[in-house]
Structures are given as structure tokens and as C-alpha cells.
Amino acid sequence: MNVALINADAEGASLGVLEHLVGYHLRRASGSFSADFSRAVEGTGMRQVLLGILSVVEANPGINQGAAGRLLGIQRANMVSLINELVDAGLLDRKTAADDRRAFALNLTPAGATMLSQCIARIEAHEHDMLVDLTAAERRTLIALLAKIEARER
């Protein structure tokens, strides 16, 4: 598929060098995903970062707050306020970690598990709609390629 054809407007204008810049296309795709994500979870009070935290805590019950933040690439100062938001909303339980009294262990509350489950169903529908033109193999390839780019950041 010709990228120039995808990005040309009704008058046939060209993006010029942008047509060949991966970062430009990543930004545009990210913007499309973000806008559709917001519509998908509308009314839940959730944002991508909060769902990321809930997902990590569900996959790693008892994970300490610092480890969850590092896994998601969230700075420590920001993580504290995000965890406070989730605890205040009744979605996370935060207790002093048994193995390190200076750290907090995180667990989903029943309300957090329900919220995560409901949002994931909406997000899966959102991703299906956004990626309807890709085969399952193409989706796996896309994720693998994006993961390679992400790994360079670490």
C-alpha cells in the first residue's frame, strides 16, 4: 500500500519527506488510538495510565509501588499521586510491604478488578475497530516491532 496515497488529501497534496518518517506515522497513529481510547472508556473515569497500573497490579498481586512504576516507565513522584487516585477511588489496596517496611504492596480491590475487566472489554473492542484491516499475524508483527522500538528507550 502506498503511504503517499493514504496521506494525500482530496487535492492530491503530498506530505513530502514526512511520508517516509516513521516517527511522524507513529505520532499520527498514537493520536488516533488515544482519541478512540478516550471514547472507549468514556464515563469510567479511567485514563490510559490508570488502566496500565491496574493491569500491572492484576498481573503481579502484591507488587510494590516502585516496581510497578518502573515497569510502566512512570516517574516516582507521579506514581505516588496516581496510586493515591486509585486508592481513593477504591480500586487499589495499598499496604506496607511485608518484606520492606519502606515500600507499599499493591493489590486490586474487587471494585478495581471489575473496573479493569469492564474497561478491557471496551478497549479490546476499540482495538478491534482500529485494527480491523490487519490480520492477526500483522497485529503480532506490529506489536513486536513497537516493542523493539520501546526496548531502545530502556
Side-chain angles (χ1 to χ4, degrees):
M1 182 176 299
N2 186 338
V3 175
L5 294 176
I6 293 170
N7 289 312
D9 68 15
E11 297 172 15
S14 170
L15 290 171
V17 70
L18 295 178
E19 292 176 5
H20 307 288
L21 295 177
V22 173
Y24 171 78
H25 293 285
L26 284 172
R27 185 188 62 77
R28 294 283 305 265
S30 176
S32 294
F33 259 84
S34 292
D36 195 65
F37 176 92
S38 295
R39 284 188 294 275
V41 298
E42 189 172 22
T44 66
M46 290 287 99
R47 302 184 311 278
Q48 288 176 334
V49 67
L50 298 177
L51 285 168
I53 294 168
L54 292 178
S55 177
V56 165
V57 172
E58 179 191 49
N60 304 281
I63 190 170
N64 87 40
Q65 186 170 309
R70 285 188 298 279
L71 189 60
L72 291 166
I74 300 170
Q75 293 182 0
R76 184 179 176 155
N78 296 335
M79 189 66 172
V80 171
S81 64
L82 292 167
I83 296 300
N84 287 343
E85 186 176 342
L86 291 166
V87 168
D88 291 347
L91 303 175
L92 273 187
D93 180 48
R94 172 181 52 200
K95 291 197 177 0
T96 303
D99 60 337
D100 183 353
R101 306 297 286 164
R102 298 168 295 159
F104 290 108
L106 304 173
N107 287 287
L108 288 184
T109 64
T114 298
M115 175 65 77
L116 180 61
S117 176
Q118 290 172 352
C119 287
I120 292 302
R122 291 179 180 199
I123 293 164
E124 286 174 344
H126 137 79
E127 287 208 356
H128 173 69
D129 290 346
M130 292 293 297
L131 301 173
V132 71
D133 293 331
L134 300 182
T135 66
E138 288 171 328
R139 289 177 193 199
R140 286 189 300 274
T141 299
L142 177 59
I143 290 170
L145 292 171
L146 292 171
K148 280 186 173 184
I149 293 169
E150 290 174 42
R152 301 235 347 128
E153 185 178 292
R154 293 182 202 140

